[in-house]
Amino acid sequence: EMLGYTREELMALTWAELTYPDDLAADIAEFERVLKGEIDAYQMDKRFVRKDGTLVQTILNVKAVRYPDGGVQWFVATIQDISVRRRMEVMERGHALVLESLVKNQPMAEVLSHLTDLISSVLPGAIGSVLLLDEDGKHLRRGAVKGLPEFFNQAVDGVEIGEGVGSCGTAAFRGERVVVENIAVDPLWKKYRDLAHQANLGACWAEPIRASDGRVLGTFAVYF
């Protein structure tokens, strides 16, 4: 259930195949220390890859049961899903960083950059983007777009909002959230479909950013 496989599928895979590549070396190193008799158990934070390609954050505990001569008879392991807890910890750190930036009167570009970085930390594979309406209230300008290709940023900068202007242009025009699950077929992206394809963007939702009086100031978007 945790990894999305049937029992039969899971039994045909090794734990190395299920491990997120960046976490494999550390796990192997500890595992080999157990085999050498240096330790009997270890614990580590570890990411596994679900069948659908998404990651699950876990705490892994491993304990060796040994023969009388010291050889390993078998391993007992427990894997606890802590994805929700990790996301909350990242959100709390990001929230604190944004507030600190505001208190220190850092440039708005830096504050917005912290927000987009936070999205990438909480949602692996996601790219956060903030676009701001210019003074005429009709054109979007880049606010914080870290992670998106520069050719895409240049094409979007200055675009006039309206129906069918991607997720952000439409969200700013309507004043409501716009969710596009598949850019390749959604009519809202018809004018910019090739651009999104070149940027390897497959989905996007956009939320209007509003002032206290209800005016739309820009959009906050997440791309996948």
Side-chain angles (χ1 to χ4, degrees):
E1 291 178 1
M2 187 186 300
L3 297 180
Y5 289 96
T6 65
R7 175 182 175 85
E8 291 72 24
E9 290 172 332
L10 199 61
M11 292 292 286
L13 296 169
T14 67
W15 59 265
E17 291 173 311
L18 297 167
T19 300
Y20 183 61
D22 288 358
D23 295 346
L24 184 57
D27 199 356
I28 290 176
E30 292 297 283
F31 190 78
E32 290 181 345
R33 290 183 65 200
V34 175
L35 294 179
K36 293 175 182 178
E38 297 176 2
I39 57 175
D40 287 326
Y42 64 93
Q43 181 187 85
M44 63 179 292
D45 286 3
K46 179 177 176 179
R47 290 165 290 184
F48 285 88
V49 182
R50 295 188 178 96
K51 184 177 180 179
D52 64 6
T54 59
L55 302 182
V56 54
Q57 295 270 1
T58 75
I59 290 181
L60 170 68
N61 285 278
V62 178
K63 177 76 167 70
V65 179
R66 299 186 182 275
Y67 290 107
D69 64 2
V72 176
Q73 185 174 7
W74 66 72
F75 285 91
V76 178
T78 61
I79 304 169
Q80 180 183 1
D81 185 347
I82 57 169
S83 300
V84 174
R85 190 172 84 193
R86 282 287 183 265
R87 281 197 297 271
M88 291 302 298
E89 291 172 352
V90 171
M91 287 291 289
E92 289 173 1
R93 289 196 297 269
H95 183 231
L97 182 60
V98 170
L99 291 179
E100 181 182 356
S101 300
L102 292 171
V103 169
K104 291 181 177 179
N105 291 319
Q106 291 183 353
M108 184 54 63
E110 292 187 24
V111 178
L112 296 178
S113 181
H114 290 324
L115 285 172
T116 55
D117 288 345
L118 178 58
I119 288 297
S120 298
S121 298
V122 174
L123 299 173
I127 301 173
S129 169
V130 176
L131 297 176
L132 303 176
L133 275 175
D134 60 12
E135 293 183 358
D136 68 8
K138 297 180 180 180
H139 298 86
L140 290 171
R141 299 292 182 181
R142 67 170 72 189
V145 289
K146 189 185 298 182
L148 291 171
E150 182 59 22
F151 70 82
F152 184 86
N153 296 332
Q154 291 179 1
V156 171
D157 190 26
V159 70
E160 184 173 354
I161 65 174
E163 191 70 22
V165 185
S167 300
C168 293
T170 305
F173 179 73
R174 294 180 182 175
E176 63 184 34
R177 177 182 299 171
V178 171
V179 178
V180 172
E181 297 182 355
N182 189 347
I183 290 175
V185 298
D186 196 292
L188 295 181
W189 277 85
K190 183 178 180 180
K191 297 178 183 178
Y192 305 97
R193 193 163 293 151
D194 291 342
L195 182 69
H197 178 73
Q198 293 174 35
N200 198 32
L201 301 175
C204 175
W205 66 257
E207 181 84 15
I209 302 171
R210 293 185 178 276
S212 57
D213 61 6
R215 289 178 298 114
V216 175
L217 302 177
T219 59
F220 182 79
V222 178
Y223 290 92
F224 292 88

